[in-house]
Amino acid sequence: MLMLNLSGSKRRLVLSTLLICAVILELAYCQKEAEEQRTTPGRKPKPSKPKLGKSTKSPRAVTTKPKVKATPAAPPQTFLTQVLNRGKFKKVGESVSVQTGDTLELRCRGSPVQWSVPPYLEEDDDGRLRIVQHERYGVLTLVNTTGADTGEYTCYPTYCEDTDCRKEYDKAVKVFVFFPDPQELFVPSSDYYEVIQLRTNWPTVLPCQVTSPEAKVTLHREFPPVEVAVDGTEISFNVKKGFTIHRPRPYHAGALYCVASLGNLRQSSTKYMLIYVNYPMAPPAPVIQASPSSVAVGENLRVSCSVVGEQDVVVEFNWEYPGQQIGRPLYTQESVSPVGEGAARQQSQSVLLVDEARDVDQGTYTCTAQNLQGAKSVSTTVKVVPKAKPKKP
Ligand SMILES: *[C@@H]1O[C@H](CO)[C@@H](O)[C@H](O)[C@H]1NC(C)=O
């Protein structure tokens, strides 16, 4: 739903220097170093599937198989080291800055390992990204880097059973790599603006991603032209993500953009068109009723499906009924009406009309009601009985 699609982005290649020095990061996974570094607690695995299968020789991970793996008593710790010069190691934290133009080299212990990279790198395969699996570790190399390469790089050790391999999300090692670009403070986007839905009760991210962690970033409204207050509670800023509006309200809607400044440079991001969507609290709870539930051949039948819910929340209805297979036509009447005094709630209803019931209309009628939060189905059965014989005079 969110228009965060970066596909087709034509990132500018800023190549001002020859690539003499390479920065090597080692994303390692090793028990020996357990005392030196502690894992970051509460790290959630990224649900997105990296599609690097074509460039790696590693087997495709199988994530759906509910295979049980033997959990070691004390899970090994993860750590990151940065190779500054040949043989000179330095530990890195959650993020690192690499000069644009330099080569990024990430090393991750495991056999095999899988990688995920910023989305546009996965989509625009311009030959700068190379992934090689060695016997005991995987290496990701990115050459001719630009500010556009800024983002999260993750290595997943894999667990294999026979030929089935799956990522070990809990052992993923991540590093956020900034490529400070002297000309581009924001990670470039090909779109002049992005449309973002503001959903009730759902945090919204304005993904203005800076290429340098030193840039000072502010949020602005186009009309009226004001700087938006960022208090850290209602709206917060994270240098690896952008701005988050934690509990969107209708007044947040409109055209917003970010401004980054660093040194003498001051730049505006892509514009974000924020559209407020009245988002329901829960999936609908439909109630179905057939009248009559036992119908004589030739009589009319009505099956109603109704939902009482929040006002201005659209509910869609879908029907399944016995006559469907033989192409019996479906007639429905849909209506919305306020409920109660203050009208804070409304009833949405769909009525399925069966004219002149036949034997084929006997069976189960299912109504599925859907809103933006989900769908729920309810069923009822209808019996068709023979026509009452007219009394002989
Ligand atoms: C990297 O840049 C150099 C110099 O411009 C160029 O010769 C080389 O082909 C580039 N490599 C890739 C993989 O794009």
Side-chain angles (χ1 to χ4, degrees), residues 189-203:
S189 162
S190 62
D191 302 315
Y192 179 63
Y193 68 87
E194 274 182 37
V195 177
I196 294 180
Q197 280 190 359
L198 285 166
R199 303 166 168 189
T200 325
N201 305 311
W202 197 267

Side-chain angles (χ1 to χ4, degrees), residues 224-247:
V226 287
E227 182 175 337
V228 178
V230 176
D231 62 359
T233 310
E234 187 185 356
I235 303 178
S236 65
F237 178 72
N238 178 332
V239 75
K240 297 181 200 168
K241 262 167 84 176
F243 290 96
T244 303
I245 301 174
H246 293 275
R247 275 171 295 276

Side-chain angles (χ1 to χ4, degrees), residues 13 15 17-19 126-129 143-144:
L13 234 70
L15 290 171
T17 50
L18 270 178
L19 321 162
D126 55 4
R128 295 185 302 118
L129 178 69
V143 302
N144 298 354

Side-chain angles (χ1 to χ4, degrees), residues 10 18 23 96 99 127 147 178 190 224 239 245 293 308 319 373 390:
K10 287 285 166 282
L18 270 178
V23 176
V96 67
Q99 208 182 316
F178 290 99
S190 62
V239 75
I245 301 174
S293 59
V308 173
W319 286 94
Q373 200 64 278

